[in-house]
Amino acid sequence: MNVLTSTDATTQTVSDNALELTGMTKKFGALAALTDINIAVQPGERRAILGSNGAGKTTLFNCITGDFPPTSGTIKLFGEDVTNFPPQERIRRGLRRTYQISLLFAGLSVFDNIYLACRGVSRGRFSFQRPSANDALMASAEELIRVVHLEDVRDTIVAELSYGQQRQLEIAMAFSGAPRFILFDEPAAGLSPTERSELVEILTGLPAHMGFIIIEHDMDVALRVAQSVTMMHNGRIFKEGSPEEIENDPEVQALYLGDDHE
């Protein structure tokens, strides 16, 4: 069984879009962090959201996941309005997210972290029974270790991993429970060139049905893994287009890439 393929009946809603934001605005008092955001991402689409610090990217993710309620506007996942749903209900519908700061159990092994992630989104997560040798969740954890290329450190304590390996582990945990759509929050931050190439390989190797949005400051990584790009500036959408269109746009180059970009 492919652990990245969902069979949960709650995720079988049919829709033209995997994620649809309509008129989404988020204010903190008098400060408008997001203003009238309209984004539609199709099933299986890989979208990059780029912009300088303060552009509103992470606030956008927090609204999508339910960590922040939008001040106005709607959020739909696979055709279902989830604007007022708590985060756990969005997770049940196939939404996952990684964070800029890794949220891992440093004293446990790689396998244990992934197993707990799989257990946490399973129907039997509250069971006190010790897993058997043929437990399906243990098999799922083993496959996710393979997907993110961590076989060599399967039994290593997380605190002993390199930073890049910890980021790979966090991605594996986001894959738990056969997600339908994933939000990657700067997964390449702090990685070496070799680790970034590994990240690109992992993201481009995902099943075709699994869409994602990636927030990333590394333009090379973002443009290599994305099919479409949304540029944000001051809480608004500034430009949208293909990676080639965004990379070659004079206004984008002037605002974000600098004069030395080629």
Side-chain angles (χ1 to χ4, degrees):
M1 181 183 69
N2 188 337
V3 296
L4 300 181
T5 301
S6 175
T7 57
D8 192 327
T10 65
T11 63
Q12 298 306 309
T13 304
V14 177
S15 172
D16 289 338
N17 294 313
L19 175 69
E20 188 173 346
L21 311 179
T22 304
M24 197 175 74
T25 294
K26 177 61 182 177
K27 293 183 178 180
F28 297 96
L31 173 65
L34 298 171
T35 303
D36 195 26
I37 300 296
N38 296 285
I39 293 176
V41 184
Q42 297 179 352
E45 180 181 344
R46 284 88 191 274
R47 174 79 62 97
I49 295 185
L50 308 177
S52 58
N53 290 332
K57 305 184 301 298
T58 297
T59 299
L60 180 71
F61 269 20
N62 285 334
C63 288
I64 295 172
T65 58
D67 294 319
F68 292 168
T71 304
S72 61
T74 59
I75 303 168
K76 290 185 178 181
L77 283 174
F78 295 97
E80 183 178 15
D81 189 337
V82 299
T83 308
N84 298 314
F85 284 17
Q88 64 269 24
E89 288 300 321
R90 305 182 196 206
I91 291 172
R92 288 188 67 244
R93 284 155 176 80
L95 181 67
R96 300 288 189 276
R97 177 188 179 175
T98 67
Y99 289 83
Q100 293 181 25
I101 300 174
S102 295
L103 303 175
L104 303 172
F105 297 106
L108 299 180
S109 70
V110 167
F111 176 84
D112 288 341
N113 269 262
I114 298 177
Y115 175 78
L116 288 174
C118 292
R119 181 72 175 263
V121 294
S122 72
R123 289 187 176 88
R125 58 187 174 276
F126 298 120
S127 171
F128 290 102
Q129 285 188 319
R130 186 181 297 275
S132 62
N134 60 352
D135 187 322
L137 295 180
M138 295 186 72
S140 295
E142 295 287 7
E143 183 176 347
L144 289 177
I145 287 173
R146 178 190 58 78
V147 168
V148 298
H149 310 161
L150 289 177
E151 299 98 318
D152 292 343
V153 291
R154 176 195 183 280
D155 299 315
T156 301
I157 299 301
V158 167
E160 300 174 2
L161 298 178
S162 69
Y163 181 75
Q165 289 170 328
Q166 290 185 19
R167 299 298 283 184
Q168 287 171 249
L169 174 57
E170 187 180 22
I171 290 172
M173 294 171 71
F175 291 162
S176 62
R180 302 180 76 194
F181 199 83
I182 303 179
L183 307 176
F184 293 109
D185 196 347
E186 296 192 27
L191 301 189
S192 68
T194 299
E195 291 168 337
R196 293 182 186 193
S197 296
E198 185 91 353
L199 173 66
V200 169
E201 184 179 344
I202 291 170
L203 295 183
T204 55
L206 292 179
H209 75 274
M210 187 181 295
F212 63 75
I213 293 177
I214 180 172
I215 290 175
E216 188 51 68
H217 282 295
D218 188 315
M219 294 288 292
D220 181 57
V221 169
L223 297 181
R224 286 171 65 189
V225 303
Q227 300 163 321
S228 56
V229 182
T230 296
M231 301 293 301
M232 294 186 64
H233 182 60
N234 290 338
R236 296 177 181 268
I237 293 178
F238 172 63
K239 292 273 186 177
E240 288 189 302
S242 68
E244 294 77 14
E245 290 170 336
I246 293 298
E247 189 173 26
N248 295 317
D249 187 288
E251 290 184 302
V252 171
Q253 292 179 7
L255 189 58
Y256 293 101
L257 306 181
D259 296 333
D260 294 332
H261 180 78
E262 298 180 357

